[in-house]
Amino acid sequence: MTADEIKNMIASSLPCEHIELEGDGRHWYATIVSPAFEGQRAIQRHQKVYATLGTKMQNDEVHALSMKTYTPAEWAPLAP
């Protein structure tokens, strides 16, 4: 899968204000900012993102996805 395909899958199922994604085609590193993360712990946020990818994680189309997840308020002081 390409970075754009993964971004589109995440953004189509999760309201995102910002998504950065880089990787080598198998190992991906993402920064995701979403109001849907409000009040959630990191594991809950990651589960939400994994859910957007459905079977792509299970059938190894996306081998590994490391992520940093932020609410818009958490992201505001970090934004470039």
Side-chain angles (χ1 to χ4, degrees), residues 4 43 55:
D4 285 339
I43 189 70
T55 60

Side-chain angles (χ1 to χ4, degrees), residues 9-66:
M9 288 185 74
I10 295 169
S12 70
S13 299
L14 189 67
C16 296
E17 292 189 7
H18 178 81
I19 300 177
E20 288 177 37
L21 190 69
E22 56 184 58
D24 62 10
R26 291 195 34 85
H27 300 90
W28 298 98
Y29 306 92
T31 301
I32 304 166
V33 180
S34 174
F37 298 148
E38 292 288 343
Q40 295 190 326
R41 294 175 290 143
I43 189 70
Q44 294 168 311
R45 295 173 183 196
H46 291 194
Q47 289 169 338
K48 275 190 181 286
V49 175
Y50 288 140
T52 68
L53 300 175
T55 60
K56 303 295 184 190
M57 293 290 295
Q58 296 165 354
N59 65 19
D60 209 34
E61 288 181 67
V62 177
H63 177 72
L65 176 63
S66 297

